[in-house]
Amino acid sequence: MRSRVSPNPSGVHLLSSRQVIDRLVGDAGLGAHDLVLDLGAGPGTITASLAHTGARVLAVERDARYVAALRRRFAGHDRVRVVHDDLRRVRLPRRDFAVVASIPFATSTVLLRRLLTPVPARLARAELVVEWGLARRLTAARPRDLEQAWWAARFELRLARRIPARCFRPAPAVDAAHLKVHRRREVDARTAAVLWPLLTEAYRRPDEPARHVLGDLVAHRLGRRLLHEAGADPAGPTRSVHIGQWSRVAGALAGDRALRPPPLPKSLRS
């Protein structure tokens, strides 16, 4: 029988497994030229491992008690900076950066929006600990909504492994997962400007023929050809076209300098 989970009013579950932490940091492949963020650093268990990589480390933590402890612990590390701020509001770097962090389950969606939505994307890669069910949804073959489709089109999202609840103190009610995130370099700002209206229409009209989604951007004949070249059936329902195929269509259209894609909404711009 599963042991009863103790009350945890703060909602914070600290990752305590050295094996899991070592795999997170090792998979990040960090070096001296990298900037990496530990978001929700807590007592610094992940921060300490990151400090040994030689990368520049920003440890972001909102709890003043943890912040004081972190500053004492890393006072002698000139490449570790402790930032007293909330991960939901902290100003993110304007240059490429990585994230290695165990994300509080309650703030996962808010943080992912901050990391994965903006154009241009500054996040290069991430090794994240998130709730198991969320990781399963994010890595599904067909994203369940437009927002998750936008993320999957611009980032490779892969579920690396399951992390049992016993790896945390206190243990949460559900297991977690190691979610790997890598930016797709082929989806640049111009491609993204074409991709957004394609995905918007695809999720608005999932049962219509796929070629209709392209109707407002290009001639029907060209739309059919591009879908064929991407490996999709132009006459099939839009829901049958997977994210990679829409990205290939967007990339082909982005190469046409005569095309004037609509501006991205402000909510997508960094």
Side-chain angles (χ1 to χ4, degrees):
M1 180 181 295
R2 187 165 185 168
S3 61
R4 186 175 178 180
V5 177
S6 300
N8 180 26
S10 70
V12 175
H13 303 278
L14 300 175
L15 182 62
S16 58
S17 168
R18 173 52 53 190
Q19 181 181 17
V20 172
I21 292 170
D22 288 346
R23 294 189 78 169
L24 284 171
V25 176
D27 283 4
L30 299 165
H33 298 292
D34 292 306
L35 172 63
V36 59
L37 279 60
D38 180 3
L39 298 169
T45 49
I46 294 178
T47 308
S49 291
L50 292 173
H52 292 303
T53 66
R56 287 182 55 212
V57 182
L58 297 183
V60 180
E61 174 57 49
R62 72 172 183 170
D63 188 305
R65 292 167 299 177
Y66 280 138
V67 169
L70 286 166
R71 286 177 173 161
R72 290 193 298 270
R73 181 174 185 178
F74 297 104
H77 294 258
D78 58 1
R79 293 185 67 80
V80 177
R81 178 185 166 204
V82 178
V83 180
H84 187 188
D85 210 335
D86 191 317
L87 60 82
R88 295 168 295 184
R89 293 183 291 272
V90 65
R91 185 174 179 178
L92 297 176
R94 303 295 292 181
R95 53 159 283 193
D96 283 3
F97 65 93
V99 175
V100 179
S102 179
I103 306 301
F105 292 174
T107 62
S108 296
T109 301
V110 173
L111 179 62
L112 288 169
R113 284 186 181 128
R114 298 198 68 204
L115 296 175
L116 306 183
T117 296
V119 175
R122 300 300 182 188
L123 177 70
R125 61 194 186 278
E127 308 292 335
L128 303 175
V129 176
V130 299
E131 188 266 328
W132 172 255
L134 174 61
R136 289 287 303 273
R137 292 192 296 274
L138 290 175
T139 56
R142 176 177 168 79
R144 69 176 185 176
D145 57 33
L146 175 60
E147 180 176 57
Q148 292 185 13
W150 176 245
W151 296 347
R154 299 170 55 246
F155 292 87
E156 179 188 359
L157 305 171
R158 185 161 63 85
L159 199 167
R161 57 189 63 89
R162 191 169 192 140
I163 302 174
R166 65 177 180 273
C167 294
F168 298 83
R169 296 292 181 270
V174 296
D175 287 345
H178 175 179
L179 178 69
K180 302 179 72 67
V181 180
H182 283 261
R183 184 175 65 203
R184 300 185 191 274
R185 294 191 177 276
E186 66 272 18
V187 183
D188 57 16
R190 180 171 172 80
T191 302
V194 179
L195 182 60
W196 174 254
L198 288 182
L199 292 178
T200 300
E201 288 302 301
Y203 274 80
R204 189 172 70 86
R205 299 184 287 177
D207 298 316
E208 293 188 26
R211 64 177 182 272
H212 289 182
V213 171
L214 287 161
D216 294 335
L217 286 177
V218 299
H220 286 293
R221 182 176 298 177
L222 175 58
R224 288 195 297 271
R225 179 172 66 80
L226 291 174
L227 285 163
H228 268 304
E229 291 175 352
D233 179 7
T238 297
R239 68 171 69 251
S240 68
V241 183
H242 63 67
I243 295 300
Q245 291 168 329
W246 284 125
S247 296
R248 288 195 287 275
V249 170
L253 287 171
D256 181 359
R257 293 295 165 178
L259 182 69
R260 295 289 184 267
L264 285 167
K266 287 184 179 180
S267 60
L268 304 184
R269 295 182 230 156
S270 62

